[in-house]
Amino acid sequence: MDIHAEKVLILDFGSQYTQLIARRVRELGVYCEIHGPAMSAAALRGFAPRGVILSGGPASVEAEGSPRCDPLVFELGVPVLGICYGLQLIAKMLGGKVHGSAHREYGPAEVEVLRPRGPFAAFKKGELVKVWMSHGDRVEALPEGFSPIARTASSPLAAAAHDVKPIFGLQFHPEVVHTPEGREMLKSFLFTDCRLSGSWSMKGFAREATEAICRQVGDGHVICGLSGGVDSSVAALLLHNALGERLTCIFVDNGLLREGEREQVEAVFAGRFHVPLCTVDARSRFLSKLAGVTDPEQKRKIIGREFIAVFEEAARDVKGADFLAQGTLYPDVIESVSTKGPSATIKSHHNVGGLPEVMKLKLVEPLRELFKDEVRVLGRELGLPDELVSRQPFPGPGMAIRVLGEVTEERLALVRRADTIVQEEVRAAKLYKELWQAFAVLLPVRSVGVMGDERTYEATMALRAVTSVDGMTADWARLPHELLERISSRVINEVRGINRVVYDISSKPPATIEWE
């Protein structure tokens, strides 16, 4: 069976929750895609969705220039679910009335089920259901042929449905965790109304993606920049399964990596999976370029430029290469179709710093349909070890932006060893997967200490640990005091050159996750 035969179309009207809708749908085993609301009638027919979801959005449907969709959406003969702005748009486009609410309704609410249909098919009449509201406008009069199916104390039209056609609207957000029964509502829409099987899986995706790679590349040869991160690792293994020896992975050791990272990548890919791997030792080259540099932005630019130069030189030795693989993910693709703002095309330097423009290679993007959490699931499906699949994010410039001030081999050795202790202790406390990131930062500060009977004047390490969902915002992690004590004690005792450890309790915003 074609795993994309059952597709749901999500039209994005600019909601902060649009990607969350897609993730919830996919978690239920249904493939979906997000597209802009200006999708043409021809594109709508060509997509051939089995159901359509209209997202929320910040605009008012009464405002001039507010986003609309083609009326064909309601004539395709497939179920339609409008969420928040989506409900208001259904009402507006089909002849109802929408007015600005006297006050914005934001936060928890209880809806009373009036008719157990559509999203409420699994509920009983009169049942009270907790939901999450986030809207200003509200529907005052439904279009002809529609009836309310749920209400709140302040909103008699909190949910509505067409009396005959499978067109539904919800004033609240079923996709957020604050609507505890939201998953059941989406299930009812997808499986009862759209009659989908829920058969989309990473196993099926891996099979289809392998076939797609073979069709695109043909007899060609692919170069893949392998960093050891989750995205590039999964992309590399997927490509290797499809192409075998017609893939060459290039791993650049810039001297700014985590402890043991080069050895781990070589052992996993060249050793365990027999992936053709070219390791470039460019440690001295990068460090010489960074000598005397303290400005964070200058560090990043130097590392980016040097990486391009090193990668291009290594790629010249790969005979017959005509494709470059990138770990582009679905959120990058969505940027080009969202209504949220002046979003443009996908960055061609997503993984390897502008290389497609420099090298004139055709792109292969095997992960462009997946979210980050789906990439991790795919990695497990392909057999990647958990220490790679579950790895926390690591910045492209590596340890260079975790050594504040000048980057030297000696200072890198200090932060690398301290960071290893942080990783070991966080894992031992079974907190690694609960944290978005936890790492050490070497500060350009020395302080007085006493070790034994000796006075010391050594470096200070900052410990950074945050929780986050997507890295866009983050909160400092409330680590147990016992864990903080163990990390501090081990670093001071085991890393000669550091005599003080401090804990960063800044959230993002206003701070950033990384220090530089």
Side-chain angles (χ1 to χ4, degrees):
M1 173 184 174
D2 178 2
I3 61 170
H4 286 166
E6 296 185 346
K7 294 183 291 188
V8 166
L9 171 65
I10 299 172
L11 292 182
D12 178 19
F13 294 95
S15 171
Q16 61 180 318
Y17 300 132
T18 301
Q19 290 191 33
L20 188 54
I21 298 171
R23 291 173 67 176
R24 295 289 179 260
V25 171
R26 291 189 180 189
E27 285 169 6
L28 291 167
V30 175
Y31 180 75
C32 62
E33 289 184 14
I34 298 172
H35 288 266
M39 198 173 186
S40 68
L44 285 167
R45 289 192 183 94
F47 188 84
R50 294 281 295 273
V52 178
I53 298 177
L54 310 178
S55 85
S60 166
V61 295
E62 294 296 312
E64 185 177 349
S66 59
R68 296 282 192 273
C69 61
D70 194 294
L72 179 67
V73 165
F74 306 109
E75 300 166 13
L76 289 172
V78 301
V80 177
L81 174 64
I83 296 174
C84 200
Y85 181 93
L87 165 63
Q88 298 156 15
L89 186 65
I90 290 172
K92 181 72 175 177
M93 293 184 68
L94 298 183
K97 293 183 180 179
V98 179
H99 291 295
S101 182
H103 66 280
R104 179 177 171 82
E105 190 175 13
Y106 182 84
E110 270 193 340
V111 298
E112 178 189 353
V113 178
L114 301 175
R115 296 172 61 199
R117 322 185 31 203
F120 290 105
F123 299 86
K124 296 177 181 177
K125 183 177 179 179
E127 187 173 351
L128 297 177
V129 183
K130 295 184 184 298
V131 300
W132 184 262
M133 293 284 189
S134 179
H135 67 97
D137 292 356
R138 72 175 189 177
V139 177
E140 291 292 338
L142 292 171
E144 185 178 349
F146 280 79
S147 302
I149 58 174
R151 66 186 176 191
T152 69
S154 60
S155 181
L157 304 176
H162 192 278
D163 296 334
V164 178
K165 299 176 182 178
I167 302 176
F168 313 96
L170 304 174
Q171 186 61 77
F172 55 87
H173 290 272
E175 70 274 21
V176 301
V177 295
H178 307 294
T179 301
E181 304 294 336
R183 180 183 172 90
E184 286 302 316
M185 298 174 194
L186 291 173
K187 280 177 67 176
S188 292
F189 175 72
L190 296 171
F191 301 139
T192 302
D193 297 301
C194 299
R195 299 183 180 181
L196 301 173
S197 64
S199 59
W200 192 71
S201 68
M202 280 302 106
K203 185 174 183 178
F205 176 86
R207 183 175 60 251
E208 185 176 87
T210 300
E211 294 169 358
I213 292 167
C214 292
R215 286 194 301 271
Q216 181 185 1
V217 174
D219 295 329
H221 195 109
V222 176
I223 295 174
C224 177
L226 180 59
S227 69
V230 177
D231 302 341
S232 70
S233 295
V234 173
L237 194 52
L238 190 61
L239 287 159
H240 179 60
N241 289 349
L243 305 173
E245 296 297 315
R246 290 186 294 114
L247 167 72
T248 299
C249 289
I250 297 176
F251 177 78
V252 177
D253 183 353
N254 57 11
L256 309 172
L257 306 174
R258 289 166 281 200
E259 189 169 88
E261 190 160 13
R262 172 175 171 174
E263 293 78 9
Q264 182 188 43
V265 168
E266 290 176 333
V268 170
F269 289 93
R272 178 172 170 181
F273 291 108
H274 307 292
V275 175
L277 178 64
C278 169
T279 299
V280 182
D281 190 339
R283 289 175 292 181
S284 59
R285 181 169 170 173
F286 276 83
L287 284 176
S288 65
K289 294 284 185 181
L290 289 167
V293 177
T294 59
D295 180 72
E297 191 58 28
Q298 194 177 353
K299 286 182 189 178
R300 289 178 178 271
K301 289 179 178 177
I302 289 170
I303 294 165
R305 284 196 302 265
E306 202 60 23
F307 183 87
I308 291 172
V310 171
F311 194 98
E312 188 182 13
E313 289 168 17
R316 288 198 199 108
D317 296 331
V318 181
K319 304 302 179 185
D322 34 23
F323 290 89
L324 175 73
Q326 284 194 171
T328 306
L329 301 189
Y330 196 44
D332 303 305
V333 178
I334 294 169
E335 285 183 5
S336 64
V337 300
S338 175
T339 65
K340 292 179 186 177
S343 182
T345 55
I346 304 164
K347 306 171 188 67
S348 61
H349 59 278
H350 176 77
N351 250 12
V352 284
L355 290 170
E357 297 165 2
V358 174
M359 299 169 63
K360 307 300 181 186
L361 298 176
K362 291 170 281 188
L363 281 180
V364 181
E365 298 172 309
L367 307 179
R368 62 179 284 116
E369 294 179 345
L370 301 183
F371 290 103
K372 186 78 170 188
D373 50 349
E374 293 173 328
V375 174
R376 295 187 194 278
V377 175
L378 177 59
R380 294 186 182 96
E381 183 68 39
L382 295 174
L384 273 176
D386 191 64
E387 60 264 27
L388 282 180
V389 174
S390 300
R391 173 168 275 181
Q392 293 176 354
F394 186 64
M399 291 292 184
I401 59 171
R402 292 180 180 174
V403 171
L404 275 59
E406 184 179 8
V407 180
T408 65
E409 197 164 352
E410 294 73 25
R411 300 190 76 212
L412 282 167
L414 286 180
V415 75
R416 191 176 284 123
R417 181 61 198 139
D419 188 71
T420 298
I421 291 171
V422 172
Q423 305 306 314
E424 289 173 353
E425 290 299 330
V426 167
R427 287 182 184 277
K430 302 190 185 307
L431 293 174
Y432 186 83
K433 292 183 180 180
E434 294 182 24
L435 298 174
W436 178 262
Q437 279 175 267
F439 55 89
V441 179
L442 189 68
L443 305 185
V445 174
R446 291 198 296 168
S447 65
V448 174
V450 178
M451 303 183 80
D453 295 324
E454 295 183 2
R455 178 181 180 275
T456 62
Y457 190 55
E458 294 179 338
T460 300
M461 182 204 105
L463 171 62
R464 182 70 159 145
V466 298
T467 57
S468 179
V469 174
D470 54 15
M472 300 301 292
T473 61
D475 193 14
W476 63 277
R478 275 64 170 174
L479 297 182
H481 290 180
E482 297 80 6
L483 174 58
L484 293 173
E485 182 181 26
R486 283 197 302 274
I487 291 173
S488 177
S489 177
R490 281 195 62 191
V491 168
I492 291 170
N493 284 310
E494 297 177 29
V495 185
R496 186 176 294 274
I498 295 177
N499 70 352
R500 190 178 297 268
V501 174
V502 298
Y503 189 41
D504 181 352
I505 58 170
S506 310
S507 296
K508 175 187 178 182
T512 55
I513 295 177
E514 298 291 343
W515 275 51
E516 289 190 340

